[in-house]
Amino acid sequence: MGKHLVWDWNGTLLDDIHAVIGATNAAFEELGLEAITLERYRELYTVPVPKFYERLMGRLPTDAEWVVMDDAFHKHYWARADACGLTAGAAELLAERQAAGRTQSLLSLAPHDRLIPIVRRHGIEERFVRVDGRVDASTAGKAEHMVRHLRALGSGVSPERVVVIGDAADDAVAAAHVGAKAVLFTGGSHSRASLARVGVPVVDSLAEAVAVADELV
């Protein structure tokens, strides 16, 4: 079997970190929390997201607070998402890989019913053999989601020949959970320093991510 790439969406293929920061701060304003800079966000961000709020607030939000925070963030984020473009080089890399007969898929924690339309609007849905978003209300990370994604891809995709490309430590955790490799991109939710602590390759462009992925498997 050939190499298979599993792409992350937010902060990886979609260049949306500034929309994320804008939505986070708009939500924080509603909740009476102080605004956060991009640098501080990247240093503190983690999954599950309630742990990120714990780092900011000094305590875990209550279940009621979490519902308010999550609703506020998504309201502000989706108002900004349509203005976001793909990350530099993403469309070309996806097209080149498809043309070369190499398979790739997309796995995101964005809600599935929101993910599909925006992927289609960017004209890249056909580049993937499968696109999966989150279909439940879980705040957990990607690990079990990755299990289901690879299972759905079928027996032709062997985990040891899979490389996950994402912008978050959680992408590497999910890859390790299924026995795949990972490459992490600095253009999204984490600082380079926080990504470096994960112990997988860290890159500054998607072209470099693909090149490194091809060396890993």
Side-chain angles (χ1 to χ4, degrees), residues 4 6 146 150 158-164 171-182 200 217:
H4 180 85
V6 177
M146 186 69 72
L150 293 193
S158 179
E160 62 268 16
R161 300 286 288 164
V162 169
V163 181
V164 177
D171 292 300
V173 170
H177 184 69
V178 296
K181 302 288 197 305
V200 302
V217 296

Side-chain angles (χ1 to χ4, degrees), residues 6-150:
V6 177
W7 292 93
D8 172 58
W9 179 241
N10 301 102
T12 303
L13 289 175
L14 186 68
D15 183 14
D16 68 346
I17 188 61
H18 293 289
V20 168
I21 297 299
T24 298
N25 282 330
F28 281 7
E29 185 175 0
E30 284 191 26
L31 299 162
L33 298 174
E34 290 185 10
I36 188 171
T37 64
L38 173 59
E39 291 71 26
R40 183 162 168 75
Y41 181 96
R42 283 176 162 164
E43 281 302 321
L44 295 179
Y45 183 75
T46 191
V47 173
V49 177
K51 293 288 289 182
F52 169 55
Y53 285 105
E54 181 183 27
R55 292 179 175 186
L56 288 169
M57 299 167 64
R59 63 175 176 82
L60 275 171
T62 66
D63 289 346
E65 286 173 332
W66 166 247
V67 170
V68 172
M69 289 172 168
D70 194 46
D71 287 350
F73 171 81
H74 282 99
K75 175 182 69 176
H76 292 291
Y77 173 78
W78 290 107
R80 293 165 166 78
D82 283 345
C84 297
L86 295 178
T87 298
E92 294 80 7
L93 286 165
L94 295 171
E96 288 166 8
R97 200 158 191 89
Q98 183 187 34
R102 295 182 174 181
T103 61
Q104 54 199 341
S105 56
L106 175 58
L107 178 63
S108 175
L109 292 179
H112 188 77
D113 60 347
R114 293 276 202 170
L115 176 67
I116 296 300
I118 196 168
V119 170
R120 285 177 179 160
R121 280 200 297 277
H122 285 287
I124 58 171
E125 185 183 22
E126 66 184 28
R127 307 299 182 206
F128 307 106
V129 295
R130 186 175 182 88
V131 178
D132 282 325
R134 181 171 53 78
V135 293
D136 57 32
S138 170
T139 61
K142 249 186 194 171
E144 292 306 318
H145 203 27
M146 186 69 72
V147 172
R148 293 191 294 271
H149 183 69
L150 293 193

Side-chain angles (χ1 to χ4, degrees), residues 169-197:
D170 186 56
D171 292 300
V173 170
H177 184 69
V178 296
K181 302 288 197 305
V183 179
L184 298 180
F185 168 57
T186 60
S189 60
H190 285 25
S191 67
R192 172 174 271 280
S194 61
L195 291 178
R197 292 193 286 268

